[in-house]
Amino acid sequence: MKKILGGELMAVVIRNMKLADIDAVKEIAIKSWHHTYDGIIPIEVQDKFLSMAYSRDTLKKRLETSPFYVAEENGQVVGFANFSNLKDDGEVELAAIYLLPKSQRRGIGSKLLEQGIKEISPKKVFVSVDSGNVKGKEFYKAKNFETVDNIEEYFFGHKLKTTRMVLKIE
């Protein structure tokens, strides 16, 4: 994928995550969470979750045990997507897809999603998105995900409303 920005040709490469990408992925998670969930999830709750889910050890384990892709632009990792392993029934969970705020709305998230679907070949892709994350829900709706449930749950002591969505590939 190539885009022209300020007269400069920018190439985006989607590839499997490497161990050397862990620090960049952690930084993207923190920046995108703070950007996306400002006013939706209290910062202290975000930080608790991020310190657990995006620690070096946790990221290393996720890298070793599940499909994990990064988007790289001019040698810099600008986004990532992490899927669960394909289940026997052909279903997969999109556990995370995040981009640096400056890299959003440029088709990079779509490319990450497409790469996972191409390589994993699921029948269905499920995702859970905070109901207050309007941009996230719009992204998934534009990719033909359908809402299957709305759930209220506690997340590090904070009550969340979550929208459960599915993309049927069959």
Side-chain angles (χ1 to χ4, degrees):
M1 176 174 130
K2 293 184 179 183
K3 294 217 176 215
I4 297 180
L5 293 176
E8 194 178 332
L9 198 59
M10 309 289 245
V12 174
V13 175
I14 307 299
R15 61 171 174 77
N16 288 315
M17 182 181 158
K18 301 174 193 168
L19 198 55
D21 298 321
I22 284 180
D23 288 338
V25 166
K26 184 176 181 176
E27 179 184 339
I28 292 163
I30 292 167
K31 286 181 178 178
S32 64
W33 261 73
H34 289 173
H35 176 79
T36 300
Y37 297 112
D38 182 38
I40 299 172
I41 299 173
I43 191 75
E44 60 275 2
V45 173
Q46 291 182 47
D47 288 342
K48 280 182 192 175
F49 169 74
L50 290 164
S51 68
M52 180 200 70
Y54 290 93
S55 71
R56 291 185 61 77
D57 289 342
T58 302
L59 283 171
K60 185 177 181 216
K61 188 173 203 168
R62 286 167 63 183
L63 170 62
E64 293 168 351
T65 60
S66 62
F68 213 128
Y69 307 96
V70 296
E72 186 177 70
E73 185 172 47
N74 293 337
Q76 179 190 6
V77 176
V78 297
F80 67 90
N82 183 207
F83 294 80
S84 67
N85 289 309
L86 187 65
K87 297 177 189 168
D88 290 339
D89 60 5
E91 295 180 358
V92 70
E93 185 80 23
L94 176 56
I97 186 167
Y98 295 109
L99 300 166
L100 289 173
K102 68 178 182 175
S103 298
Q104 295 174 2
R105 296 205 165 314
R106 297 180 38 223
I108 298 171
S110 298
K111 294 289 184 192
L112 284 162
L113 179 63
E114 290 164 10
Q115 186 70 24
I117 290 169
K118 179 180 151 190
E119 287 195 15
I120 300 167
S121 300
K123 291 180 183 174
K124 293 180 181 178
V125 179
F126 285 91
V127 67
S128 294
V129 60
D130 186 284
S131 298
N133 182 355
V134 176
K135 288 181 186 175
K137 290 192 313 185
E138 287 175 357
F139 171 80
Y140 295 117
K141 284 180 186 175
K143 304 299 167 216
N144 298 315
F145 280 77
E146 299 172 1
T147 299
V148 292
D149 202 2
N150 289 293
I151 306 160
E152 284 191 9
E153 56 193 337
Y154 282 90
F155 181 74
F156 292 88
H158 175 75
K159 189 175 186 178
L160 281 185
K161 292 182 180 178
T162 303
T163 301
R164 186 88 171 128
M165 304 178 85
V166 65
L167 172 64
K168 297 174 186 172
I169 314 267
E170 302 178 273

